[in-house]
Amino acid sequence: MQDPVSAHEPPHDAGAPTGWWRRWWGSQTPGRQDRFAMLAPVAAVLLFLAAIVSAFWYLRLEEMDREHEAVRRDVEYAQQRVRLRLLERQEQLMRVAHDISNQQLERDEFVSRIEAMVIQYPELQAVAWIDDRRRIRASYAAPSVAAGQLRPAGGVLRGGETESIYTLARDLQQPVYSQPAAGADGSGLLQLHIPLSNQQGKFAGVVLGEYSIDAILRYAVPAEVSAKYAVALLDGKNRIIAGNSVPPRKGPSQLLPWAAQPNEYEVPVSPVGNGLIIRAQAYRTSLGVIGSGLFWLVGALSAMTAWMLIGNWRHTRRRMQAQRALVAETNFRRAMENSMLTGMRALDMQGRITYVNAAFCQMTGWSEGELVGRTPPFPYWPDEDREQLMARLDDELHGRTVAGGFQVRVKRKDGSLFDARLYLSPLIDAKGQQTGWMTSMTDITEPNRIREQLSASYERFTTVLEALDASVSVAPLGSEELLFANKLYRLWFGVQTAGHLQMVAQAGVPEQPRLDESLDAVDSFVGLPTGTLTAARSENAEIFVPELGKWLEVRSRYLNWVDGRLAQMVIATDITPRRHAEEQAAAQAERAQSSSRLITMGEMASSVAHELNQPLTAINNYCNGLVSRIRKQQINEEDLLAALEKTARQAQRAGQIIQRIRSFVKRSEPNRTLSDVATLVSEAVELAEIELRRRNVRLSHYVAARLPKLMVDPILIEQVLVNLLRNAAESIEHARRPASRRSVELRVIPKDIDGQPVIEFSVLDSGQGLAPEVMERLYEAFFTTKPEGMGIGLNLCRSIVESHQGRMQAENIYNGTDVAGCRFSFWIPLAGAPDALENKNAGVAV
Ligand code: ADP
């Protein structure tokens, strides 16, 4: 078999020029090749036209030369004939003249000879015999000569021109031809003056012959010449005397080069000389007409061919442009097709694969060559799905397609499987007929994986939200719709928005913006970008929901919902247990405070006993004294009354002490009232002094005048003061200070802390001061340095002070580097914020 490649190759043994030509042709771009292929025929046509034109030109020149030659020959011939004729006539007339000169001819004879000549030779019109005195001796004229031209015998020669020729002939003694002005009838005349001489050889007149030039033309010029040409006789000034001429050509043939000058020839007629010129002009020949006709035909055909070629060329160029556009479009589509991630497969009506794109091959791992032309079952069908896919293909081929596409499994060449989604659409050809089916295939493994991940993350998300021990709900503003609710919300409020709205309303802040269009004017959120809105307005509130019997902490914030709507999210946490705990803690604290007071009193029991001992001893003494005095009857009524009054006062004092202690330790509900600071201080001092006195500690106190009333629970503040004063006394006792340094000072003054008016209570002692490690743990519950101490005093004091929005602090007092004592102080704001006091109603913890 022949190698198909080499069969198409050009023969290597081709001649060098062919080889060169092919190489050159091959090196041209296709565009240039097209241009050459188009221009060559036009050039050929133009060359052909040029060759035709030059051939015509050459032939025409040749022909013109020949014609010219013929004209010249004919004119020469005619001239010869005319000349011969004229010479013949001249000969005859000279013979007559000779005869006259020799006196062998008389007038009558002359006339008859002339008459015979005129009759025989029609060109000879008239002959006259003129003597030396210019008298006409005899004459004869043809009958056709007009009367005005007759020269009757006996007349005198007239006419300036004829006379001057006469003179010339006389002087020259030779025959002279002349041409007078045209006669009256317009026909030209030729005169011949032949001089006569007498016996002595003297001039004796002339014989004047007159020729009709017209007749000369008519009779002397051969008929074949005058038939072929326009023959004319011209005078010395090139005026036509006889004959005719060809009118100058007009029209398109004038454009032709050879038509520019007419083919003519002229030559002077001897013996007349330059005065008479014979001219022949060739008539237009039929050859010229045919030639130019042919020329125009060829020209028109060439032009038409060229025009058609150009038209064809332009048409081809348009085709080329369309083709280029098509190629560009095809390339573009191919590039698009190749860059596309969707696999494309075309089937013909029998289910044979006619086309697959790069993506399809890449997805399946089969090459285009392996797939195109295959009939079902296709190699990328998983074996186990074969029957099902066969049935589906059958459906596809019968047009039973599914609009949304369908999912199938596809086997790669390496045997692995992937999920794909197929979409089917009919393939329609240019004639509108269906030629097959186009299938697009998308690998949906990744989307499937993402979807699974998404649903898994959604599941995690909902699991977390559902498991949350807070209720989460989201509702758009101004709508009853519930966008999201977790399990706890549904448990508490069901699937309605009512719960959400109730929580929002009860929480009070943030107020719900009105999105009602009619209320736009009063919408407090108008013009606020949702970003700011969602960033701001996140607040907490604690509300009680009676339907649930629960305390809820409600936090709400605005957010942009997934659909772009502004929504409000409410997170509610059940804080009922915390509330209970807080309430219990408050009750506990209260109990702790009162037990602390009891403890204080217990600790002060011996002091109190000692304190009570004095009045009781006094009463006892008074009573004993009275009894003995009454027994002795030594008493008068006046003394008795005085003693009884003293006794009663002592009893009153004892009662007062007990009353004070009772009111201090009495367990009462927390009760804040506007209390007078001085009263409060004096009562505390009264109690503390019992202890201080026992320990031999002096107490001095200073209360600034005109202090405003404080909104406090007086018993609690008293408790704090008693506690601080007792600690101070204990510290002094512990430091074993000498009597002179056993003093405690209590000062109550108004102050300004951070621009806030407060009342400061300070207790300054001269005790041992606070060691650094004690300072650190001062307020810890049950921290004490005393063997009998409880360590809850200061802890309670701080709680009480802070529950009144006050602060407490302790510092050492130095004397040089020695600690000279310490100073405990606390302040309570002046009726600062009654509502704040109200809110913090139970925040005390032990
Ligand atoms: P207790 O008095 O029962 O020990 P407190 O809470 O009242 O409990 O005091 C705790 C400790 O703080 C005391 O044990 C003591 O060491 C120290 N302390 C309190 N007040 C003073 C003071 N004025 N001077 C020195 N130390 C003090």
Side-chain angles (χ1 to χ4, degrees):
M1 262 193 72
Q2 197 184 6
D3 179 6
V5 174
S6 65
H8 290 101
E9 263 181 62
H12 287 294
D13 56 355
T18 320
W20 171 83
W21 166 254
R22 273 178 186 276
R23 265 204 305 284
W24 176 81
W25 181 252
S27 70
Q28 301 303 313
T29 59
R32 283 178 76 107
Q33 284 182 357
D34 285 336
R35 219 165 299 145
F36 281 128
M38 278 324 299
L39 284 177
V42 177
V45 167
L46 291 177
L47 278 175
F48 170 74
L49 192 63
I52 290 284
V53 166
S54 43
F56 264 96
W57 182 282
Y58 176 75
L59 285 175
R60 191 64 189 155
L61 282 182
E62 193 101 310
E63 190 190 309
M64 270 166 57
D65 260 9
R66 215 172 39 245
E67 277 181 0
H68 217 68
E69 200 57 38
V71 169
R72 215 173 62 195
R73 220 173 30 242
D74 288 341
V75 169
E76 290 288 352
Y77 173 59
Q79 191 262 140
Q80 280 306 322
R81 291 291 297 273
V82 172
R83 180 170 155 264
L84 271 176
R85 191 123 183 167
L86 286 177
L87 282 176
E88 265 174 38
R89 295 296 84 74
Q90 184 184 344
E91 205 79 5
Q92 285 170 337
L93 286 179
M94 278 175 78
R95 212 171 298 134
V96 169
H98 191 263
D99 287 349
I100 291 171
S101 293
N102 293 339
Q103 294 179 342
Q104 290 165 358
L105 197 67
E106 283 305 310
R107 275 166 43 181
D108 297 340
E109 212 179 332
F110 170 81
V111 171
S112 60
R113 263 178 76 176
I114 294 304
E115 188 182 1
M117 270 172 72
V118 168
I119 288 164
Q120 194 178 349
Y121 308 107
E123 73 270 25
L124 195 61
Q125 217 173 20
V127 180
W129 176 4
I130 302 167
D131 70 8
D132 57 344
R133 272 171 292 183
R134 303 186 186 199
R135 282 178 312 210
I136 295 162
R137 296 227 17 214
S139 70
Y140 177 79
S144 59
V145 175
Q149 284 187 331
L150 290 179
R151 299 179 197 278
V156 181
L157 182 64
R158 298 239 193 283
E161 203 175 335
T162 313
E163 263 190 83
S164 66
I165 301 299
Y166 168 88
T167 316
L168 189 66
R170 184 188 66 191
D171 296 345
L172 289 173
Q173 287 290 323
Q174 269 185 355
V176 176
Y177 283 96
S178 82
Q179 217 177 31
D185 61 349
S187 62
L189 281 179
L190 183 68
Q191 294 179 333
L192 174 62
H193 295 254
I194 299 170
L196 302 174
S197 58
N198 57 15
Q199 251 65 31
Q200 292 80 39
K202 285 245 184 94
F203 177 74
V206 295
V207 171
L208 171 64
E210 284 181 322
Y211 303 91
S212 155
I213 292 177
D214 210 32
I216 294 173
L217 187 72
R218 201 163 336 121
Y219 299 107
V221 176
E224 67 268 25
V225 174
S226 48
K228 262 201 306 200
Y229 307 99
V231 185
L233 287 170
L234 315 172
D235 65 7
K237 288 169 187 146
N238 238 7
R239 282 182 305 223
I240 292 176
I241 313 165
N244 49 14
S245 69
V246 178
R249 290 186 188 194
K250 288 201 178 83
S253 58
Q254 193 72 13
L255 298 171
L256 292 176
W258 52 84
Q261 76 271 37
N263 185 13
E264 62 178 38
Y265 189 75
E266 55 185 37
V267 71
V269 181
S270 62
V272 182
N274 284 332
L276 188 69
I277 293 163
I278 181 163
R279 184 184 74 181
Q281 288 178 316
Y283 291 116
R284 257 164 285 169
T285 57
S286 56
L287 182 74
V289 173
I290 293 168
S292 57
L294 262 178
F295 172 79
W296 288 118
L297 188 67
V298 170
L301 280 176
S302 303
M304 215 161 83
T305 314
W307 174 71
M308 267 159 41
L309 278 171
I310 289 169
N312 190 20
W313 177 57
R314 291 177 59 175
H315 173 73
T316 314
R317 209 173 56 177
R318 275 200 294 273
R319 291 282 305 260
M320 292 285 291
Q321 277 168 355
Q323 192 178 327
R324 266 201 295 279
L326 204 67
V327 168
E329 175 77 18
T330 310
N331 287 346
F332 172 71
R333 283 187 184 270
R334 174 129 335 128
M336 220 164 71
E337 207 176 276
N338 289 343
S339 66
M340 199 162 63
L341 294 175
T342 309
M344 304 291 287
R345 177 201 67 182
L347 297 179
D348 64 9
M349 297 306 278
Q350 283 73 45
R352 183 179 289 108
I353 297 179
T354 53
Y355 166 82
V356 284
N357 75 342
F360 191 92
C361 295
Q362 212 191 344
M363 275 185 194
T364 56
W366 300 87
S367 73
E368 192 181 342
E370 286 167 321
L371 290 175
V372 171
R374 289 293 287 261
T375 47
F378 298 125
Y380 51 81
W381 282 2
D383 300 332
E384 54 273 25
D385 297 349
R386 190 164 286 180
E387 273 176 33
Q388 181 208 338
L389 289 171
M390 200 72 188
R392 199 186 273 287
L393 184 75
D394 197 53
D395 281 353
E396 285 172 27
L397 293 179
H398 290 89
R400 297 188 287 267
T401 57
V402 191
F406 48 84
Q407 189 177 330
V408 292
R409 285 195 305 165
V410 177
K411 188 174 78 175
R412 292 199 186 88
K413 196 175 183 180
D414 61 12
S416 57
L417 295 174
F418 67 94
D419 292 328
R421 183 162 275 279
L422 297 188
Y423 298 90
L424 206 67
S425 54
L427 259 182
I428 309 291
D429 71 0
K431 289 182 206 142
Q433 281 185 336
Q434 190 183 351
T435 56
W437 294 93
M438 178 60 88
T439 315
S440 66
M441 178 168 86
T442 340
D443 185 347
I444 53 168
T445 319
E446 187 63 13
N448 274 354
R449 194 177 63 76
I450 290 171
R451 194 179 312 143
E452 275 160 23
Q453 273 184 352
L454 270 180
S455 68
S457 83
Y458 175 77
E459 221 165 286
R460 281 199 294 277
F461 164 75
T462 41
T463 309
V464 169
L465 276 182
E466 296 287 281
L468 218 58
D469 58 356
S471 119
V472 180
S473 58
V474 181
L477 296 178
S479 160
E480 295 287 294
E481 187 187 351
L482 190 62
L483 294 174
F484 178 84
N486 75 343
K487 191 172 159 188
L488 196 61
Y489 179 90
R490 295 194 302 271
L491 195 73
W492 286 350
F493 302 106
V495 289
Q496 276 77 43
T497 343
H500 176 92
L501 296 177
Q502 184 192 347
M503 284 194 284
V504 170
Q506 253 184 292
V509 277
E511 67 249 22
Q512 176 123 359
R514 292 157 191 263
L515 292 191
D516 227 335
E517 269 172 36
S518 57
L519 295 172
D520 246 6
V522 294
D523 180 5
S524 53
F525 288 83
V526 159
L528 197 66
T530 51
T532 3
L533 194 62
T534 50
R537 305 254 174 197
S538 161
E539 301 199 19
N540 298 358
E542 293 179 4
I543 59 166
F544 183 72
V545 181
E547 289 89 336
L548 300 176
K550 284 184 198 299
W551 276 95
L552 299 181
E553 187 192 49
V554 177
R555 269 160 299 167
S556 78
R557 70 177 288 130
Y558 292 99
L559 42 85
N560 277 319
W561 192 240
V562 286
D563 59 4
R565 275 189 289 174
L566 186 63
Q568 194 175 26
M569 175 169 74
V570 172
I571 301 169
T573 326
D574 184 359
I575 51 162
T576 317
R578 198 182 84 197
R579 274 271 173 169
H580 282 319
E582 278 173 7
E583 276 160 19
Q584 273 172 4
Q588 214 122 38
E590 198 191 313
R591 274 201 294 278
Q593 284 157 7
S594 67
S595 15
S596 162
R597 288 196 293 273
L598 277 176
I599 289 165
T600 307
M601 279 302 115
E603 284 167 351
M604 282 168 66
S606 61
S607 308
V608 169
H610 179 76
E611 189 75 13
L612 278 177
N613 207 28
Q614 283 180 4
L616 288 178
T617 310
I619 290 167
N620 195 31
N621 289 344
Y622 281 134
C623 288
N624 287 339
L626 276 179
V627 168
S628 60
R629 296 257 310 257
I630 290 170
R631 278 196 185 141
K632 289 173 187 174
Q633 292 195 347
Q634 288 173 339
I635 194 160
N636 55 23
E637 197 170 325
E638 213 170 292
D639 289 343
L640 181 65
L641 275 175
L644 280 177
E645 268 169 16
K646 279 181 184 171
T647 309
R649 248 199 315 272
Q650 289 300 327
Q652 216 171 355
R653 196 182 149 216
Q656 253 176 1
I657 290 169
I658 287 165
Q659 180 62 37
R660 175 76 25 239
I661 291 167
R662 245 197 82 211
S663 72
F664 185 70
V665 296
K666 190 181 80 182
R667 187 162 168 242
S668 64
E669 292 296 308
N671 179 24
R672 291 190 186 194
T673 50
L674 274 177
S675 318
D676 181 49
V677 180
T679 317
L680 188 153
V681 169
S682 70
E683 281 177 5
V685 165
E686 201 178 316
L687 265 181
E689 268 195 323
I690 299 172
E691 178 84 359
L692 264 60
R693 215 174 292 130
R694 197 174 65 89
R695 293 185 195 274
N696 281 325
V697 174
R698 272 192 313 280
L699 172 64
S700 59
H701 70 273
Y702 166 76
V703 179
R706 289 191 297 279
L707 281 177
K709 289 192 172 185
L710 267 182
M711 187 67 187
V712 290
D713 186 335
I715 295 294
L716 292 179
I717 301 300
E718 272 175 42
Q719 185 178 351
V720 174
L721 287 174
V722 169
N723 221 318
L724 292 182
L725 290 170
R726 274 190 64 224
N727 273 348
E730 275 174 12
S731 178
I732 290 171
E733 175 105 332
H734 210 259
R736 296 175 195 281
R737 298 289 185 206
S740 62
R741 285 184 61 197
R742 291 172 87 91
S743 67
V744 173
E745 190 191 334
L746 169 66
R747 285 175 70 82
V748 184
I749 50 166
K751 250 191 156 178
D752 233 41
I753 303 274
D754 297 335
Q756 187 186 20
V758 302
I759 290 179
E760 190 194 59
F761 301 78
S762 61
V763 176
L764 180 73
D765 67 54
S766 50
Q768 60 189 350
L770 296 160
E773 68 273 8
V774 175
M775 190 81 99
E776 272 171 26
R777 309 181 58 190
L778 208 54
Y779 302 107
E780 266 179 35
F782 310 116
F783 172 77
T784 177
T785 56
K786 300 164 195 166
E788 74 285 11
M790 291 279 287
I792 54 163
L794 284 179
N795 178 284
L796 259 176
C797 287
R798 193 165 84 157
S799 301
I800 291 168
V801 168
E802 287 180 0
S803 77
H804 285 84
Q805 280 77 46
R807 289 290 173 273
M808 185 168 181
Q809 63 182 35
E811 59 190 341
N812 278 333
I813 305 291
Y814 291 92
N815 183 7
T817 49
D818 297 337
V819 178
C822 76
R823 181 174 176 270
F824 278 79
S825 64
F826 69 92
W827 52 259
I828 305 286
L830 255 179
D835 55 328
L837 295 177
E838 229 76 70
N839 276 358
K840 274 277 179 184
N841 44 9
V844 186
V846 180

